[in-house]
């Protein structure tokens, strides 16, 4: 009798766990169907926005602030994988018709149309899943024992470690008095490079998805009729000069605070929308018509896009712009909503992990040579030229450490195949063939952007080599 009870007791937990998961899934999808309006009055948000919010909120509750370099709690890891799978399962039913061959019983073949997952989802969802896995594996690599350790900021002065002034709320980092060993430094640099690959790929996917979202009418209705009114006379003249230098433009701009940088980003995005609208206006008498030639307007738009790209790279921690917020809120494409939110949370996590690795490297540099610690941070850690948003200037990207055991680029990890024109191209083209549009890589930043050649987002991303972002707000 006791044996039967033990057997029954051993079989009881799995059904209970199954029921619990089922109830939780019912709750999640019920909220999605109600559009987050629990009253059922039909005043909820669209399905696309509800899914976007669900992924964002799930990531915030699971990952939090990620204050330390340490493996995820097993329960949180299981929860993340389980619930994100539920939300991503929606994409399995977003399909399109594609031609296929069918063989009849008599041996003849005929072309028929079959359903297949939509192309952008078929390509990007597996890529984002692998980026997700890569980030979690990176955190698991810090399971220890590590040469560094974290000490509470409230500990005694004798026990306290090092932390940058702009991150006073985080625990301090204690490293050996002689600094980290060479092996540990190479390990940290390798992890940083891997996370950087993830960051570039997730940023590229997010930017591509946002660019494919329609610009809502309620955004364009608030825009002025010309780019000069949006930018202001001085900024407009700086963009429309004969010889244009985007770096000089940013040097002359007031980027002393986050608010001012975001305001500039909003103005640039608004001017791009205005110029694009005018370029497609068929009748010169319409509200969007203008006397400026099409060629010049296209040139101005390309210059503005270059400035916008540099802003995104140098200040990746900026909140979303007015255009991005409006696009996400008004978007009705569920596939786009899932891709945008999933890539955004992975980008945010990559930002955070990168920052935590840099904190350890900074503590190590301060231990080795306190007088040169700031300079070392400027040349080896941060890449953004503005001290408020990112703490240093850096003209060139630091290469992956030579001799790192088991070095693997993102393209190797994900199995992407691509052809490179030379060895430098092969080294820098680490995000692989995410999409055919991303193939034409450039090896250096052009000195003059007054050109009509179009470049993809990843092409431009390689110009300045994003390395050292801050966490997204």
């Amino acid at each position: 009798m006791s044996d039967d009870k033990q057997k029954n007791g051993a079989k009881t937990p799995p059904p209970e766990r199954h029921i619990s998961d089922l109830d939780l899934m019912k709750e999640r999808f019920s909220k999605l169907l109600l559009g987050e309006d629990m009253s059922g009055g039909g005043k909820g948000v669209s399905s696309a926005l509800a899914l976007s919010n669900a992924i964002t909120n799930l990531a915030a509750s699971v990952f939090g602030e990620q204050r330390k370099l340490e493996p995820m709690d097993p329960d949180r890891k299981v929860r993340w994988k389980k619930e994100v799978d539920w939300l991503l399962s929606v994409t399995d039913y977003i399909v399109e018709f594609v031609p296929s061959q069918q063989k009849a019983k008599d041996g003849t073949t005929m072309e028929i149309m079959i359903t297949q997952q939509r192309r952008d989802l078929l390509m990007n969802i597996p890529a984002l899943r692998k980026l997700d896995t890569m980030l979690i594996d990176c955190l698991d690599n810090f399971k220890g024992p590590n040469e560094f350790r974290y000490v509470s900021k409230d500990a005694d002065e004798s026990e306290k470690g090092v932390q940058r002034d702009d991150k006073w709320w985080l625990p301090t980092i204690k490293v050996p008095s002689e600094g980290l060993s060479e092996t540990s430094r190479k390990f940290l640099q390798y992890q940083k490079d891997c996370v950087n690959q993830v960051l570039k790929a997730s940023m590229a996917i997010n930017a591509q998805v946002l660019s494919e979202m329609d610009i809502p009418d309620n955004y364009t209705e608030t825009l002025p009729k010309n780019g000069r009114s949006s930018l202001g006379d001085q900024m407009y003249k700086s963009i429309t000069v004969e010889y244009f230098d985007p770096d000089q433009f940013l040097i002359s701009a007031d980027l002393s605070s986050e608010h001012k940088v975001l305001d500039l980003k909003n103005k640039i995005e608004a001017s791009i929308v205005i110029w694009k609208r005018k370029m497609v206006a068929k009748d010169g008498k319409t509200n969007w018509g203008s006397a400026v030639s099409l060629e010049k307007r296209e040139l101005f738009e390309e210059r503005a896009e270059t400035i916008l790209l540099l802003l995104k790279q140098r200040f990746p921690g900026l909140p979303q712009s007015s255009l991005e917020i409006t696009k996400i809120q008004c978007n009705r494409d569920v596939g786009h909503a899932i891709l945008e939110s999933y890539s955004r949370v992975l980008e945010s996590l990559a930002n955070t992990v990168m920052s935590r690795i840099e904190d350890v490297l900074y503590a190590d540099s301060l231990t080795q040579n306190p007088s040169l610690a700031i300079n070392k941070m400027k040349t080896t850690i941060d890449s953004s030229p503005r001290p408020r948003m990112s703490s240093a200037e850096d003209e060139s990207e630091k290469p992956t450490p030579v001799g790192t055991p088991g070095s693997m680029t993102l393209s190797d990890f994900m199995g992407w195949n691509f052809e490179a024109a030379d060895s430098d191209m092969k080294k820098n083209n680490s995000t692989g063939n995410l999409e055919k549009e991303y193939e034409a890589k450039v090896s250096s930043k052009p000195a003059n952007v007054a050109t009509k050649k179009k470049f993809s987002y990843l092409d431009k991303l390689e110009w300045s080599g994003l390395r050292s972002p801050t966490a997204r707000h």
Side-chain angles (χ1 to χ4, degrees):
M1 190 70 177
S2 60
D3 293 340
D4 291 338
K5 287 183 179 181
Q6 289 179 356
K7 290 181 181 179
N8 293 336
K11 295 180 181 179
T12 303
E16 289 179 356
R17 179 178 178 80
H18 176 72
I19 293 173
S20 176
D21 287 349
L22 182 60
D23 290 341
L24 184 59
M25 185 167 60
K26 285 180 180 179
E27 178 186 351
R28 293 286 187 272
F29 281 94
S30 296
K31 290 180 179 179
L32 293 177
L33 289 172
L34 291 170
E36 302 176 353
D37 177 19
M38 306 307 291
S39 69
K43 297 179 181 179
V45 299
S46 66
S47 299
L49 183 56
L51 270 167
S52 177
N53 291 340
I55 294 175
T56 303
N57 295 335
L58 173 63
S61 62
V62 170
F63 297 113
E65 194 179 4
Q66 198 66 42
R67 299 164 66 90
K68 301 178 181 180
L69 287 175
E70 59 184 5
M72 288 180 62
D73 180 77
D75 291 338
R76 289 194 295 123
K77 186 188 297 185
V78 170
R79 180 193 170 196
W80 168 253
K81 290 183 176 180
K82 176 179 64 180
E83 296 192 26
V84 83
D85 281 345
W86 292 347
L87 298 173
L88 294 181
S89 66
V90 176
T91 61
D92 295 335
Y93 302 94
I94 303 176
V95 297
E96 61 185 357
F97 283 106
V98 295
S100 179
Q101 297 290 330
Q102 185 181 57
K103 193 171 184 178
K105 292 181 179 180
D106 58 0
T108 60
T109 59
M110 65 180 69
E111 187 176 88
I112 62 172
M113 300 298 288
I114 62 173
T115 57
Q116 176 183 283
Q117 189 178 31
R118 205 171 73 188
R119 184 174 177 273
D120 59 335
L121 300 173
L122 185 63
M123 176 178 58
N124 287 320
I125 291 296
L128 289 171
R129 284 184 181 276
K130 289 189 176 182
L131 296 176
D132 188 346
T133 301
M134 201 170 178
L135 277 175
I136 294 177
D137 288 345
C138 177
L139 291 174
D140 289 342
N141 289 335
F142 290 96
K143 60 185 177 182
N146 299 310
E147 294 184 10
F148 63 91
R149 60 189 177 91
Y150 291 93
V151 180
S152 172
K153 59 184 179 62
D154 298 325
D156 296 337
E157 289 297 330
S158 59
E159 292 292 328
K160 275 188 178 181
V162 176
Q163 188 54 269
R164 286 185 273 189
D165 292 338
D166 58 342
K167 298 181 179 180
W168 55 268
W169 67 93
L170 295 175
T172 59
I173 301 167
K174 192 81 170 179
V175 298
S177 56
E178 66 277 6
L180 300 175
S181 66
E182 190 63 25
T183 301
S184 184
R185 286 194 202 100
K186 285 185 176 181
F187 168 75
L188 285 169
Q189 188 62 48
Y190 173 63
Q191 297 301 322
K192 178 183 173 183
D193 292 339
C194 290
V195 175
N196 190 34
Q197 307 299 334
V198 177
L199 178 70
K200 287 184 178 181
S202 56
M203 283 187 68
I205 294 175
N206 186 264
Q208 182 65 27
V209 174
L210 282 171
S211 68
E212 292 174 358
M213 289 184 181
D214 294 332
I215 299 175
D217 291 337
N218 61 354
Y219 176 81
T220 56
E221 289 171 358
T222 63
L223 299 178
K225 298 304 179 184
N226 54 66
R228 183 188 291 269
S229 300
S230 173
L231 296 170
D233 290 339
Q234 183 177 356
M235 199 179 301
Y236 179 81
K237 290 177 182 178
S238 299
I239 292 179
T240 57
V241 294
E242 183 177 358
Y243 299 104
F244 172 69
D245 184 354
D247 290 316
Q248 186 61 39
F249 175 88
L250 291 180
I251 291 174
S252 62
D254 184 4
L255 304 178
S256 58
S257 68
E258 180 184 278
H259 174 75
K260 292 180 179 179
V261 177
L262 184 60
D263 183 58
L264 175 60
K265 183 180 178 182
N266 285 329
K267 289 180 179 179
I268 295 293
E269 285 185 337
S271 65
I272 291 174
V273 173
I274 293 171
W275 285 328
K276 283 184 176 179
R277 288 266 173 163
K278 290 190 175 184
M279 282 191 291
V280 299
K282 297 180 180 179
D283 186 357
K285 295 181 180 180
T286 61
N287 291 335
W288 293 99
S290 174
V292 179
S293 66
L294 180 64
E295 291 77 11
K296 285 187 176 181
R297 196 168 303 287
E298 184 177 3
L299 176 62
F300 298 161
E301 183 234 326
E302 289 177 356
R303 290 177 174 180
E305 286 183 339
T306 302
I307 296 172
L308 185 61
L309 177 68
L310 293 177
L311 284 175
K312 289 180 179 180
Q313 291 176 347
R314 296 183 182 186
F315 308 104
L318 279 178
Q320 291 170 324
S321 64
S322 299
L323 177 58
E324 292 169 343
I325 292 174
T326 308
K327 278 186 173 183
I328 294 171
Q329 289 178 341
C330 298
N331 170 57
R332 294 296 182 268
D333 189 309
V334 174
H336 283 164
I338 293 176
L339 287 177
E340 190 283 326
S341 56
Y342 194 20
S343 61
R344 173 162 40 85
V345 298
L346 292 181
E347 177 189 340
S348 178
L349 179 60
N351 286 341
T352 304
V353 175
M354 179 87 76
S355 179
R356 300 298 173 262
I357 294 175
E358 290 173 351
D359 291 343
V360 177
L361 292 174
Y362 172 72
D364 177 53
S365 68
L366 194 61
T367 302
Q368 293 182 76
N369 195 335
S371 63
L372 299 177
I374 297 178
N375 291 333
K376 186 168 184 178
M377 281 293 292
K378 289 184 177 181
T379 56
T380 63
I381 297 180
D382 282 353
S383 62
S384 180
R386 294 293 174 177
R388 188 189 182 284
M389 305 301 296
S390 296
S391 61
E393 295 183 2
D394 187 9
E395 297 290 336
S396 60
E397 183 170 1
K398 185 170 183 177
T400 303
V402 178
T404 302
S407 294
M408 180 186 297
T409 64
L410 180 62
S411 55
D412 296 332
F413 178 84
M414 301 185 70
W416 289 331
N417 296 319
F418 55 90
E419 295 180 0
D422 51 53
S423 60
D424 291 334
M425 182 82 73
K426 194 170 185 179
K427 181 178 180 181
N428 291 332
N429 191 12
S430 55
T431 51
N433 187 19
L434 275 174
E435 194 170 348
K436 290 183 179 180
E437 292 81 359
Y438 298 159
E439 290 177 352
K441 301 295 179 185
V442 292
S443 59
S444 62
K445 181 177 176 180
N448 192 339
V449 297
T451 174
K452 294 183 180 179
K453 183 176 180 181
K454 293 287 186 179
F455 296 98
S456 70
Y457 181 83
L458 279 180
D459 294 337
K460 297 176 181 178
L461 197 61
E462 293 295 338
W463 293 351
S464 36
L466 180 63
R467 294 170 296 281
S468 206
T470 56
R472 182 188 289 274
H473 293 264

